[in-house]
Amino acid sequence: MDQTRDETGWLGGWVRADPVRAVGVVMVLVSLVWRAQLASRGHLAVDDWVLISRASEADLTPDFLLTLYNNHFMPAALLSTWLVTRAVGVAYWPYVLLLAAAQTVLAVSFFRLLRTLVRPGWAMLIPLAVFLFSPLTLEATSWWAVGVNMLPMQIAMVLAVGAQVRYVRTGRRRHLLSLAAAVLFGLLFFEKALLVVPLVFLATACLLVGGPPVRAILTTVRRYWPSWAMLTALSLGFLALYLSRAESSLRRPDSLTEVLSFLGQLLGSTVVPGLLGGPWRWLPAGDGAPVTAPPELARWLAWAVFLTLVVVTVRLRRTAGRAWVLLAAYLTLVTAMLGATRLGSIYSDVAGAVPRYVSDVVVVAALCLGVALLGLATPTPSTADGPTTPGDAARDPELTEADPAAARAAMAPPAGTAGLDQPATHRHGGVIHAEAADDEVTQPGRPFATPPARSTSTTPGPVGPVGPTAATSGGTEPATQGYPAAGDGDSLRAQLARHRETVSTVLTIVVLAGGLGAAWTTARFGDEWAVKSGKVYLETARIELAAAPPDTVFFDRPVPPEVVPALSAPYNRQSKFFQAMGDAPVFVTEAEAPSLFDASGRIVPVSVDGPAVVPGPEDGCGYKITGGRTVRMPLTAPRDDWFWVVRIGYLSSADTTATFRLGSATREFPVRQGLHQYFFEFTGGGDAVELTVNGYGVTLCTNEVAVGTPTPQQ
């Protein structure tokens, strides 16, 4: 009993110490379990089969790892697939576990970055929920071919931004190594991780350095040049390797209408609705993941909510404008890259409706939302990584420029001695929580705090990028550079405070609507993801193989296009599809009684669909062929020079061999005494076949010669 009370007391104390953290941990666990369950409803799909087939036929060599797949550089992804394939063959559960493990690392890393970057408060759970439950990331957490690229890239984004934040706040060069390692990790899985480099720069200029745009960019370049030198060298080295192996993926749009349609799909139907719980309705896309198809009314409501959120947060908080600029800049990069590689192709009609193309935007959007709602956190002073006193914290140039309000708060006297015009600071959750009059902090249960009264006297402020405060008729206003005046925000904040219950009700409705919408969208995605033609095809073939005679052999043919499309040839062939199985079927190019897998995966005898020879002149024999003699047999229709399968049904007086000719190509095949048939693959063309029996004294009768494609026998 005492031990139980101790454990309960420890857990209760941990929850009471930081309830926001406790709820966040529960949200992370719920998202992991929910998405793992959703992923397990599906199976391998489309590109997964190709990756597994390539892994099963290749040795683990540098050439295999550095080979591009669909023009993508992904050696770590190929290595992961190779290891799983060699260990378990064609199985789905290892990929579900790997995706869940990557999600765990990503979710924990993002939550830590969020707690480091923004001020504490219950509102922190909103960006965390957007990140964990956004339907835009469902493909990445369910589909191996997508997740093995996107999840490592998102992990790299989070770790790289976190490393840069620590470097900016401390100046410690070890964080540069963490930054380089994070970017390199992402590049090993997906070349799109190059976007992490401009993301780190944009995050630094928008969130960690103050001043007008031009000055912020110049200061970012000058002050943190070691980051950019290291990232530039890494990027150039990677590009040299990638471009030496890749073919150009750049395309030109066919028309302005195509571009506008793409932008309307991407922004109007995918990104904004997806960040607010949409698209609420999916359009099936075969075995692959569905694409977005939001209802028109819901799409416009999502845009109205999003624009309202941007306007309100910008007026309430100085850093909100910079956060939204960061999101817009990164989204512009993603849109430009996607448009340059997808428009003008066969995928351009749906390119803007595919969520996986913008799943990385969710990471940036969630971080920017957190900054817009809560503001930037003040670094905790420590002897190792920062200033050691509140005064030192305020004089830190990074802190002063990134968050002037927090810098002024850090200059304040100890808690309990501050007046209305001297906001107090206190520690909470690993950061200094500054209750600044010009950048209010969201408190639990209070969406918008009432601003304290302003002093009418001139109060000296910190000198530097923040600048001194100047007396105005309305009170003391900070003369910060690069931020809007606080007056409008204070007025709006006061109005919201007077209608706190109404505001809280509206916010609750919006949050609940977004959560219910995300739950509905996710459930509908799960229904679509559970329908897998490839899974049914594979399971049927396994059952059929278990019941088939051990000497059963097969002719090769394509799998159904809904399982692996023809664009993936030759990996759409049955011989490639089944080769990773433990007891893979045996495929041959000639046999007396070959079989086929039909479109459903059942085993059936082979039939040849194509022109046959004109019936022969001999009654009861057709064409009589004696040893050493060649007989010409016209076809009912000519055959082009192509890859065909030939079937010959014959009656022979003895064992021997025969030679088949079509056009200029020949093929020798065995002949057995009695009534038999023989199938073989053949490349050639013409309007008549010639047959020669090679053994003297042997007579062969045939009236059944067909040249065509192998099909299941009806």
Side-chain angles (χ1 to χ4, degrees):
M1 294 292 293
D2 293 340
Q3 182 180 359
T4 302
R5 283 197 298 271
D6 290 343
E7 293 176 352
T8 304
W10 173 85
L11 180 60
W14 182 82
V15 172
R16 287 191 298 272
D18 194 340
V20 175
R21 176 185 60 187
V23 175
V25 169
V26 172
M27 291 171 61
V28 169
L29 293 176
V30 169
S31 71
L32 293 174
V33 173
W34 190 9
R35 295 212 167 189
Q37 184 273 336
L38 182 145
S40 65
R41 294 180 62 190
H43 202 260
L44 301 168
V46 194
D47 292 288
D48 295 340
W49 301 115
V50 180
L51 292 173
I52 291 172
S53 296
R54 287 168 50 125
S56 64
E57 68 184 12
D59 295 326
L60 189 58
T61 62
D63 184 62
F64 165 71
L65 296 177
L66 297 179
T67 298
L68 273 61
Y69 174 69
N70 285 348
N71 224 29
H72 294 310
F73 182 82
M74 42 190 284
L78 296 179
L79 174 61
S80 302
T81 307
W82 190 92
L83 292 174
V84 173
T85 301
R86 291 308 174 98
V88 298
V90 181
Y92 183 51
W93 63 265
Y95 299 107
V96 174
L97 293 181
L98 287 175
L99 291 175
Q103 290 174 68
T104 303
V105 174
L106 177 59
V108 172
S109 301
F110 179 84
F111 193 23
R112 290 187 61 188
L113 175 60
L114 193 64
R115 288 167 57 83
T116 300
L117 191 62
V118 306
R119 293 174 176 175
W122 285 105
M124 182 184 295
L125 299 179
I126 297 177
L128 179 62
V130 169
F131 172 78
L132 293 176
F133 300 105
S134 172
L136 295 180
T137 59
L138 286 170
E139 283 183 86
T141 58
S142 304
W143 189 354
W144 171 250
V146 177
V148 75
N149 293 146
M150 294 308 307
L151 289 177
M153 177 184 171
Q154 293 175 20
I155 292 172
M157 295 169 69
V158 173
L159 296 181
V161 172
Q164 179 68 6
V165 169
R166 290 189 293 273
Y167 174 64
V168 166
R169 290 179 174 178
T170 69
R172 300 279 179 172
R173 295 298 177 92
R174 68 172 182 266
H175 298 308
L176 291 177
L177 297 178
S178 300
L179 175 59
V183 175
L184 181 60
F185 172 78
L187 291 175
L188 289 176
F189 283 90
F190 196 19
E191 75 280 354
K192 188 182 177 183
L194 274 176
L195 289 180
V196 177
V197 174
L199 172 63
V200 171
F201 181 87
L202 290 169
T204 305
C206 292
L207 303 181
L208 306 179
V209 173
V214 175
R215 186 167 74 87
I217 292 174
L218 294 177
T219 301
T220 300
V221 173
R222 172 180 52 82
R223 184 174 295 165
Y224 307 113
W225 66 266
S227 292
W228 321 133
M230 180 268 299
L231 291 178
T232 299
L234 182 60
S235 300
L236 291 177
F238 174 81
L239 282 173
L241 175 62
Y242 175 70
L243 295 177
S244 67
R245 293 176 168 268
E247 299 178 358
S248 176
S249 298
L250 298 179
R251 294 180 173 87
R252 179 178 297 177
D254 295 331
S255 65
L256 178 61
T257 302
E258 182 184 12
V259 175
L260 295 178
S261 175
F262 163 71
L263 293 176
Q265 274 187 338
L266 186 71
L267 302 177
S269 299
T270 303
V271 174
V272 172
L275 293 176
L276 294 172
W280 308 286
R281 187 174 64 191
W282 298 99
L283 185 65
D287 267 19
V291 298
T292 61
E296 192 70 11
L297 177 60
R299 186 170 66 88
W300 285 108
L301 287 175
W303 265 98
V305 171
F306 179 75
L307 293 177
T308 301
L309 174 66
V310 172
V311 171
V312 171
T313 54
V314 167
R315 293 195 62 188
L316 286 175
R317 193 172 301 284
R318 296 176 172 184
T319 51
R322 288 174 167 248
W324 297 124
V325 168
L326 169 59
L327 175 59
Y330 185 78
L331 184 56
T332 299
L333 290 175
V334 173
T335 302
M337 176 179 288
L338 183 57
T341 55
R342 290 295 182 268
L343 296 185
S345 71
I346 60 175
Y347 303 106
S348 61
D349 289 342
V350 296
V354 181
R356 65 177 176 271
Y357 292 152
V358 291
S359 61
D360 52 312
V361 174
V362 177
V363 177
V364 183
L367 284 178
C368 292
L369 177 61
V371 173
L373 292 175
L374 290 160
L376 290 168
T378 305
T380 302
S382 67
T383 57
D385 284 343
T388 58
T389 67
D392 290 336
R395 287 188 289 271
D396 186 345
E398 286 82 8
L399 170 60
T400 303
E401 290 198 70
D403 203 337
R408 288 194 302 280
M411 293 286 289
T417 64
L420 292 178
D421 58 342
Q422 287 182 312
T425 62
H426 62 276
R427 293 184 183 230
H428 180 76
V431 297
I432 292 182
H433 193 170
E435 297 180 23
D438 55 358
D439 199 5
E440 295 300 332
V441 178
T442 304
Q443 299 292 337
R446 299 178 61 193
F448 303 100
T450 304
R454 292 184 176 273
S455 171
T456 57
S457 61
T458 302
T459 304
V463 179
V466 176
T469 56
T472 66
S473 59
T476 304
E477 294 295 340
T480 57
Q481 301 183 39
Y483 294 94
D488 292 342
D490 290 341
S491 175
L492 179 59
R493 196 177 291 118
Q495 295 178 33
L496 294 175
R498 285 197 297 270
H499 303 282
R500 185 178 305 138
E501 292 186 2
T502 302
V503 172
S504 298
T505 301
V506 172
L507 286 177
T508 301
I509 292 174
V510 171
V511 171
L512 285 177
L516 292 175
W520 171 267
T521 302
T522 301
R524 300 291 72 76
F525 178 93
D527 293 340
E528 296 292 343
W529 182 246
V531 179
K532 288 287 173 287
S533 301
K535 178 182 179 181
V536 175
Y537 184 78
L538 179 65
E539 291 179 348
T540 302
R542 278 177 164 160
I543 295 172
E544 291 279 306
L545 283 171
D551 59 345
T552 303
V553 294
F554 298 86
F555 269 9
D556 199 6
R557 66 195 300 260
V559 299
E562 60 270 21
V563 177
V564 181
L567 288 174
S568 298
Y571 293 98
N572 67 327
R573 308 291 296 181
Q574 293 174 347
S575 59
K576 300 288 186 180
F577 181 84
F578 290 114
Q579 66 184 345
M581 290 176 55
D583 296 323
V586 177
F587 288 89
V588 297
T589 59
E590 57 181 315
E592 283 195 3
S595 298
L596 283 179
F597 290 102
D598 67 8
S600 64
R602 294 183 301 110
I603 298 176
V604 294
V606 174
S607 176
V608 174
D609 181 19
V613 297
V614 175
E618 298 283 341
D619 292 336
C621 182
Y623 295 94
K624 181 180 288 187
I625 309 167
T626 58
R629 179 181 168 215
T630 299
V631 174
R632 186 175 186 273
M633 296 173 282
L635 292 171
T636 56
R639 293 270 74 175
D640 294 332
D641 194 351
W642 194 245
F643 306 100
W644 306 110
V645 167
V646 176
R647 175 189 176 271
I648 300 178
Y650 63 88
L651 176 63
S652 176
S653 62
D655 293 347
T656 185
T657 62
T659 301
F660 174 88
R661 178 186 294 273
L662 178 62
S664 61
T666 61
R667 171 69 181 268
E668 186 176 287
F669 63 94
V671 173
R672 294 174 57 195
Q673 182 180 5
L675 183 63
H676 297 281
Q677 64 177 356
Y678 202 77
F679 296 78
F680 54 86
E681 294 181 357
F682 186 84
T683 301
D687 58 1
V689 302
E690 294 180 355
L691 202 59
T692 304
V693 175
N694 299 324
Y696 288 97
V698 178
T699 300
L700 182 147
C701 291
T702 183
N703 216 18
E704 299 180 6
V705 179
V707 181
T709 56
T711 59
Q713 190 178 95
Q714 300 298 325

